[in-house]
Amino acid sequence: MLDEIAAKPNAWNHRHLLDVDDFSPEEFQLVFETADAMREILARPIKKVPALRGQTVVNLFYENSTRTRASFEIAAKNLSAEVLNVTSTASSIAKGESLIDTLKTLEALGANIIVMRHNLSGAPHVAAKYSKASIINAGDGWHAHPTQALLDLYTIRKHKGNLNGLKAAIIGDVRHSRVAHSNIWGMTRLGMKVTVCGPPTLLPYGLDNPGGLFPEVRVETDVEKAVEDADVVMALRLQRERQQSGLLPSVAEYVRRFQVSQERLKRAKSEVLVMHPGPVNEDIELAAESAYGDKSVINEQVQNGVAVRMAVLYLLAGKQGEL
Amino acid sequence: MLDEIAAKPNAWNHRHLLDVDDFSPEEFQLVFETADAMREILARPIKKVPALRGQTVVNLFYENSTRTRASFEIAAKNLSAEVLNVTSTASSIAKGESLIDTLKTLEALGANIIVMRHNLSGAPHVAAKYSKASIINAGDGWHAHPTQALLDLYTIRKHKGNLNGLKAAIIGDVRHSRVAHSNIWGMTRLGMKVTVCGPPTLLPYGLDNPGGLFPEVRVETDVEKAVEDADVVMALRLQRERQQSGLLPSVAEYVRRFQVSQERLKRAKSEVLVMHPGPVNEDIELAAESAYGDKSVINEQVQNGVAVRMAVLYLLAGKQGEL
Amino acid sequence: MLDEIAAKPNAWNHRHLLDVDDFSPEEFQLVFETADAMREILARPIKKVPALRGQTVVNLFYENSTRTRASFEIAAKNLSAEVLNVTSTASSIAKGESLIDTLKTLEALGANIIVMRHNLSGAPHVAAKYSKASIINAGDGWHAHPTQALLDLYTIRKHKGNLNGLKAAIIGDVRHSRVAHSNIWGMTRLGMKVTVCGPPTLLPYGLDNPGGLFPEVRVETDVEKAVEDADVVMALRLQRERQQSGLLPSVAEYVRRFQVSQERLKRAKSEVLVMHPGPVNEDIELAAESAYGDKSVINEQVQNGVAVRMAVLYLLAGKQGEL
């Protein structure tokens, strides 16, 4: 399979990975097949291939994230890239250095790919305009998190084969969730039927408006109805600051009305996949027994994340290296 | 010697290294002999062997520590492992992610060995229950610090050959010292006679109680008597917060009564080894001239730490790699 | 050229790199030629040579710096060294560990070269007295920043060939600039004519005093005169704290009187090089259009920094490794 992937004509058209909103179904397919090949590498005793040898991948994180940074770092090292971690706490970014200046510097230092997390929506798009290095958006504000969507879709595909026609319920703070936004783009593009559910204050305005971005998305405020007959139930992390900012009257009320519980999951299909981008607030947005139960694929999401990120790095690097 | 170690039937029975309290004398011996082999590697111009190639070692540090983290990082890299540093300041641990969730994530990302420092006593034992990766306790609260004890014992053995019958005096804040606790387990198991000495408020309750944990440990509040005829004098770091919490009336008083000084060391054996886990508060718990004098083996402790940690990593990884 | 460099008799006389004030013109030349060789390596698809394989380079940073730390990290990794990052925020340096103790520990752990940034002027010189490892000063207080000066001089040499007789204007907070100080040593040693210019409160006392350190340096408070006929105009970063400490009445006034602008640059030679150590406060000490204009070599400075640091690491390691 590795040979096949390396030999395939390149359907990949992106110099950067900013979101999945402009992905064709063929591009999704290419990422999935490349990730399949990367999983073969991950199954070996020594998980290292020379594909990106001599290339430098920079993790430029303006927000902390154990999971995403570690996942990219491991993925890049598995491909033999050099990894440089630059975080806002451990660097002089605090000195008031401009984003563009930082990017120019990283390029001049030899960065080939810059994995960037930023608290401001759109920052990676600005970066991409000025950067000769490839930018991967590892999460920007409330906007997008494309590699998370790709690994979620890949995880669903591993279990269900074809995504077309599957029903997904995304439950929680959809309004502020870059994970939800990128998943909605990907799921709808690949033919899935998406229902979002949460308190009205945490749902985007006009999501299912006929003239809106996602006319095909169903909005539901009753969680029992939302999960009905679902193939996938994705719970979103509830940020405590939503309560402080007055968008959420109480956590107890949220739990009562929207928690994804074992009881509520009975309404979904019997083979439902329970997903969460992590880290889980146990027994808040997701019951602990559901998070660790037999329908949960949360750990697989993390595992697949490494394979999907290896695939993305490999494709952005032009597939020129040896696998 | 490398071939011998690699060929030896494995007396190592641990999937994790949480403390040395359950080590048999044979296991201590195996660690020491494996560390001897690692010192051979460290004496080469290129100190790198492929033993752990393809394995990922994570340094998961909830407390900062230059020394211990750096020592493990160097040890792991010498064995060709990939090293991932996850610290509480540089990660989203602060977000309130649970320890178990973090461990599951690190495992799913591919961690084989997790080196863990935690401010709570017992945290690595909890971790070990849930973790498929091997856990190494790199210090938990006031409880245990097994690799420090192993490197201390190894350093004594390098100088004295056999540990059986040697006399050690451990001076200072024994109550709150994980280093002291692990050393007491190891020293007594290997036949050493241990005396602990310090202000009563900084000594454990009932340490030498006949029905207590360490009936063979002698407690002494007179430092002159404690160091009398000692083969090893180990001074412990005095944390300034002990004074703030009222356990220590004054640092000046501590210095006067308990400092390990050149004068006091004259009462020990002429070949006494002066030890300290570092970093030393110079002229507080240990006189600067004693810390840097000819009896001091403090730098050797640090050096041996790399060899001992290489040994532990190699043994936990099942000795399968090539040396 | 790589063979030539490796074969050349070693004119390098330093065990440490603390400043360039004691460099002979031949040593500057050796660094430049070695950096030329390193640029050849950087032009390859795989930028990695085995020269420092098995050596450990520690970045010991008591002050944050994205640029300098990243530049050294990449340089060291290109030479196949192991890199260990120890920063004051991510380590127990905060615990009050003494500098000497930290150095002894790093040495015992196996450090061969310690790249050190410290907020106190002279700290690397103290370190060098006690350290068996080679110390590279990566910036100490207001004192020196030798690798920055070397990369600046190297960048000028790439454009101008010979440095002898060239005119440089250094504009800004010269008093508190380690970059300026090291550049003045290097420039004057290599025959350049240096003019410094800035508000009197930000210029060193007695710089051009006939009995002073740099009698050959011209001091000028009129920026138009300072840049007149210059081959090189180097703007220095203006630290905001200068205003807080009363040394600068207002930023607006500084901009009006001292900003390096397109208009002012017209007075310099038509082939003038615009330089800045980065990060630039755009439109403060340097106009954005000048920073990103066709006379700017700021990005080249960053690029050359990697080559120059590779050269320095290679020379300090005794040129023994394979290129």
Side-chain angles (χ1 to χ4, degrees):
Chain A
M1 183 180 277
L2 290 172
D3 291 344
E4 268 175 60
I5 287 297
K8 229 174 181 179
N10 205 341
W12 181 261
N13 283 314
H14 289 83
R15 215 167 69 70
H16 306 287
L17 176 60
L18 303 176
D19 199 357
V20 294
D21 57 356
D22 60 350
F23 266 46
S24 66
E26 290 70 31
E27 276 181 303
F28 281 110
Q29 202 54 37
L30 179 66
V31 173
F32 298 156
E33 286 172 14
T34 310
D36 283 339
M38 296 303 166
R39 276 173 54 97
E40 284 184 23
I41 292 166
L42 290 173
R44 297 178 188 165
I46 294 183
K47 303 167 184 63
K48 216 174 171 101
V49 289
L52 264 72
R53 191 162 149 72
Q55 302 225 23
T56 296
V57 173
V58 177
N59 283 322
L60 178 63
F61 274 56
Y62 290 85
E63 274 184 355
N64 280 328
S65 164
T66 305
R67 294 161 175 267
T68 307
R69 196 265 300 167
S71 181
F72 272 108
E73 182 167 347
I74 288 170
K77 286 178 172 172
N78 286 346
L79 296 171
S80 300
E82 292 297 341
V83 176
L84 189 75
N85 289 309
V86 177
T87 59
S88 60
T89 48
S91 81
S92 64
I93 293 171
K95 272 192 194 170
E97 212 174 308
S98 82
L99 175 59
I100 307 304
D101 197 47
T102 301
L103 288 167
K104 291 277 170 215
T105 301
L106 293 173
E107 266 177 57
L109 289 172
N112 301 99
I113 298 180
I114 297 173
V115 177
M116 182 177 165
R117 166 157 298 192
H118 205 287
N119 53 314
L120 293 178
S121 302
H125 294 70
V126 174
K129 274 199 193 160
Y130 291 91
S131 173
K132 281 184 208 122
S134 289
I135 303 288
I136 297 179
N137 181 2
D140 63 323
W142 302 339
H143 176 238
H145 194 351
T147 57
Q148 179 72 39
L150 288 169
L151 73 89
D152 290 338
L153 295 166
Y154 180 74
T155 301
I156 300 169
R157 174 180 168 274
K158 289 299 285 179
H159 283 270
K160 305 293 185 188
N162 193 349
L163 277 70
N164 193 44
L166 293 180
K167 288 183 181 175
I170 302 179
I171 315 289
D173 181 5
V174 180
R175 186 185 290 179
H176 306 96
S177 172
R178 52 198 176 204
V179 174
H181 297 161
S182 288
N183 264 300
I184 292 172
W185 280 114
M187 288 173 168
T188 53
R189 183 65 45 93
L190 293 169
M192 290 177 67
K193 289 175 178 53
V194 182
T195 301
V196 301
C197 176
T201 49
L202 299 182
L203 290 181
Y205 304 107
L207 190 70
D208 58 349
N209 188 306
L213 262 185
F214 297 108
E216 64 269 55
V217 169
R218 183 164 70 105
V219 177
E220 184 58 73
T221 51
D222 178 340
V223 72
E224 268 83 14
K225 288 188 190 156
V227 302
E228 191 81 47
D229 208 34
D231 298 282
V232 171
V233 173
M234 181 180 288
L236 300 175
R237 184 173 169 86
L238 189 72
Q239 305 290 347
R240 302 305 170 99
E241 53 263 42
R242 299 300 164 243
Q243 195 177 357
Q244 286 145 32
S245 60
L247 292 174
L248 190 69
S250 96
V251 171
E253 162 105 0
Y254 180 90
V255 168
R256 198 174 54 74
R257 287 197 50 204
F258 296 103
Q259 185 188 79
V260 175
S261 62
Q262 291 291 78
E263 191 56 35
R264 283 168 176 158
L265 283 169
K266 285 182 190 160
R267 295 171 177 266
K269 291 231 179 72
S270 63
E271 299 293 298
V272 66
L273 305 177
V274 175
M275 306 183 79
H276 190 289
V280 174
N281 293 308
E282 288 174 26
D283 290 328
I284 308 278
E285 70 267 7
L286 182 58
E289 50 180 348
S290 306
Y292 299 118
D294 62 351
K295 291 172 164 56
S296 169
V297 294
I298 296 175
N299 269 330
E300 284 176 51
Q301 288 173 272
V302 179
Q303 275 178 332
N304 290 335
V306 176
V308 165
R309 289 178 175 119
M310 287 170 72
V312 164
L313 290 167
Y314 178 65
L315 291 166
L316 280 173
K319 297 204 309 181
Q320 74 238 23
E322 193 188 334
L323 279 185
Chain B
M1 183 180 277
L2 290 171
D3 291 344
E4 267 175 61
I5 288 297
K8 228 174 183 179
N10 205 340
W12 181 262
N13 283 314
H14 290 84
R15 215 166 67 69
H16 307 288
L17 176 60
L18 302 176
D19 198 357
V20 292
D21 57 355
D22 60 349
F23 265 47
S24 65
E26 291 70 31
E27 274 180 304
F28 281 110
Q29 202 52 38
L30 179 66
V31 172
F32 298 156
E33 286 172 14
T34 309
D36 283 339
M38 296 303 166
R39 275 173 55 97
E40 284 184 24
I41 292 165
L42 291 173
R44 297 178 189 166
I46 294 183
K47 303 167 184 63
K48 216 174 172 100
V49 289
L52 265 70
R53 190 162 150 73
Q55 302 226 22
T56 297
V57 173
V58 177
N59 283 323
L60 178 62
F61 274 57
Y62 290 86
E63 275 184 354
N64 280 329
S65 165
T66 306
R67 294 160 175 268
T68 308
R69 195 265 299 167
S71 181
F72 272 108
E73 183 167 347
I74 288 171
K77 285 178 172 172
N78 286 345
L79 297 171
S80 300
E82 292 297 341
V83 176
L84 189 75
N85 289 309
V86 177
T87 58
S88 59
T89 48
S91 79
S92 65
I93 292 172
K95 270 192 195 172
E97 211 173 309
S98 82
L99 175 60
I100 307 305
D101 197 47
T102 301
L103 288 167
K104 293 275 172 215
T105 301
L106 293 173
E107 266 176 58
L109 288 172
N112 300 100
I113 297 181
I114 297 172
V115 177
M116 182 179 165
R117 166 157 297 191
H118 205 288
N119 52 315
L120 294 178
S121 302
H125 294 71
V126 174
K129 274 200 190 158
Y130 291 90
S131 174
K132 279 184 209 122
S134 288
I135 303 288
I136 297 179
N137 181 2
D140 63 322
W142 302 340
H143 176 238
H145 194 350
T147 58
Q148 179 71 40
L150 288 169
L151 74 89
D152 290 338
L153 295 166
Y154 180 74
T155 301
I156 301 170
R157 174 179 167 276
K158 288 300 283 180
H159 283 270
K160 305 293 185 188
N162 193 349
L163 278 70
N164 194 44
L166 293 180
K167 287 182 182 174
I170 302 178
I171 317 288
D173 182 6
V174 180
R175 187 184 288 176
H176 306 95
S177 172
R178 52 198 177 205
V179 174
H181 296 161
S182 289
N183 263 300
I184 292 172
W185 281 113
M187 288 172 168
T188 52
R189 184 64 46 91
L190 292 169
M192 289 178 67
K193 289 175 178 55
V194 181
T195 302
V196 301
C197 175
T201 49
L202 299 182
L203 290 180
Y205 303 107
L207 189 71
D208 57 350
N209 189 306
L213 262 184
F214 297 109
E216 64 269 54
V217 169
R218 184 164 71 104
V219 177
E220 184 58 74
T221 51
D222 179 338
V223 72
E224 268 83 14
K225 288 189 191 156
V227 301
E228 192 79 48
D229 208 34
D231 299 282
V232 171
V233 173
M234 181 181 287
L236 301 174
R237 184 172 169 84
L238 189 72
Q239 305 289 347
R240 303 304 171 99
E241 53 262 42
R242 299 298 165 243
Q243 195 177 359
Q244 286 144 32
S245 60
L247 292 175
L248 190 69
S250 95
V251 171
E253 163 105 0
Y254 180 90
V255 168
R256 197 173 56 73
R257 287 197 50 203
F258 296 104
Q259 186 189 78
V260 176
S261 62
Q262 291 291 76
E263 191 57 34
R264 282 168 177 158
L265 283 169
K266 286 183 188 157
R267 295 171 177 266
K269 290 230 178 76
S270 62
E271 299 294 298
V272 66
L273 305 177
V274 175
M275 306 183 81
H276 189 289
V280 175
N281 293 309
E282 287 173 27
D283 289 327
I284 308 276
E285 70 267 7
L286 182 58
E289 50 181 347
S290 306
Y292 299 118
D294 61 351
K295 291 172 165 55
S296 169
V297 294
I298 297 175
N299 269 330
E300 284 176 50
Q301 288 174 273
V302 180
Q303 275 179 331
N304 290 333
V306 177
V308 164
R309 288 178 175 119
M310 287 171 74
V312 163
L313 290 167
Y314 178 65
L315 291 167
L316 280 173
K319 297 205 308 182
Q320 75 240 21
E322 195 187 334
L323 278 185
Chain C
M1 182 179 278
L2 289 171
D3 292 345
E4 267 174 61
I5 288 297
K8 229 175 181 176
N10 204 341
W12 181 263
N13 284 313
H14 289 84
R15 215 166 68 69
H16 307 287
L17 176 60
L18 303 176
D19 198 357
V20 293
D21 57 355
D22 61 349
F23 265 47
S24 66
E26 291 70 30
E27 275 180 304
F28 281 109
Q29 203 52 37
L30 179 65
V31 172
F32 299 155
E33 286 173 14
T34 310
D36 283 339
M38 296 303 167
R39 275 173 55 97
E40 284 184 24
I41 292 165
L42 291 173
R44 298 177 188 166
I46 293 184
K47 303 167 184 63
K48 217 175 171 98
V49 289
L52 265 72
R53 191 163 149 72
Q55 302 226 23
T56 297
V57 173
V58 177
N59 283 323
L60 177 63
F61 274 56
Y62 289 85
E63 274 184 355
N64 280 328
S65 165
T66 306
R67 293 160 175 268
T68 308
R69 196 265 299 167
S71 181
F72 273 108
E73 182 166 347
I74 288 171
K77 285 177 171 173
N78 287 346
L79 297 171
S80 300
E82 292 296 341
V83 177
L84 189 75
N85 289 310
V86 177
T87 58
S88 60
T89 48
S91 79
S92 65
I93 292 172
K95 271 191 196 173
E97 212 173 308
S98 82
L99 175 60
I100 307 304
D101 197 48
T102 301
L103 288 167
K104 293 275 172 217
T105 301
L106 293 173
E107 266 177 57
L109 289 172
N112 301 99
I113 297 180
I114 297 172
V115 177
M116 183 177 165
R117 166 156 298 190
H118 205 287
N119 51 316
L120 293 178
S121 302
H125 294 71
V126 175
K129 274 199 191 159
Y130 291 91
S131 173
K132 280 183 209 122
S134 289
I135 303 288
I136 297 178
N137 181 2
D140 63 323
W142 302 339
H143 176 237
H145 194 351
T147 58
Q148 180 72 40
L150 289 169
L151 74 89
D152 290 338
L153 296 166
Y154 180 73
T155 301
I156 299 169
R157 174 179 168 276
K158 288 300 282 180
H159 284 269
K160 304 294 184 187
N162 193 349
L163 277 70
N164 194 43
L166 294 179
K167 288 183 181 175
I170 303 178
I171 316 289
D173 181 6
V174 180
R175 186 183 290 178
H176 306 95
S177 172
R178 52 198 177 205
V179 174
H181 297 161
S182 288
N183 264 301
I184 292 172
W185 281 113
M187 288 172 167
T188 53
R189 184 64 46 92
L190 293 169
M192 290 177 67
K193 288 175 178 54
V194 181
T195 301
V196 301
C197 176
T201 49
L202 299 182
L203 289 181
Y205 303 107
L207 189 70
D208 59 349
N209 189 307
L213 263 184
F214 297 108
E216 63 269 54
V217 169
R218 184 164 70 105
V219 177
E220 183 59 74
T221 51
D222 179 338
V223 72
E224 268 83 14
K225 289 189 190 154
V227 302
E228 192 79 47
D229 208 35
D231 300 281
V232 171
V233 173
M234 181 181 288
L236 300 174
R237 183 173 169 84
L238 189 72
Q239 305 290 347
R240 303 304 170 100
E241 53 262 43
R242 300 298 165 244
Q243 196 177 358
Q244 286 145 32
S245 60
L247 292 175
L248 191 69
S250 94
V251 171
E253 162 105 359
Y254 180 90
V255 167
R256 197 175 54 75
R257 288 197 49 204
F258 297 103
Q259 185 187 80
V260 176
S261 62
Q262 292 292 76
E263 191 57 33
R264 284 169 176 156
L265 283 170
K266 286 183 191 158
R267 296 171 176 266
K269 290 230 179 74
S270 62
E271 298 294 298
V272 66
L273 305 176
V274 175
M275 307 183 79
H276 190 289
V280 175
N281 294 309
E282 288 173 26
D283 290 328
I284 309 277
E285 71 266 7
L286 183 58
E289 50 180 347
S290 306
Y292 300 117
D294 62 351
K295 291 172 165 54
S296 169
V297 294
I298 297 176
N299 269 330
E300 284 175 51
Q301 288 173 272
V302 180
Q303 274 178 333
N304 290 335
V306 176
V308 165
R309 289 178 175 118
M310 287 170 74
V312 164
L313 290 167
Y314 178 66
L315 291 167
L316 280 173
K319 297 204 309 182
Q320 74 239 23
E322 194 187 333
L323 278 185

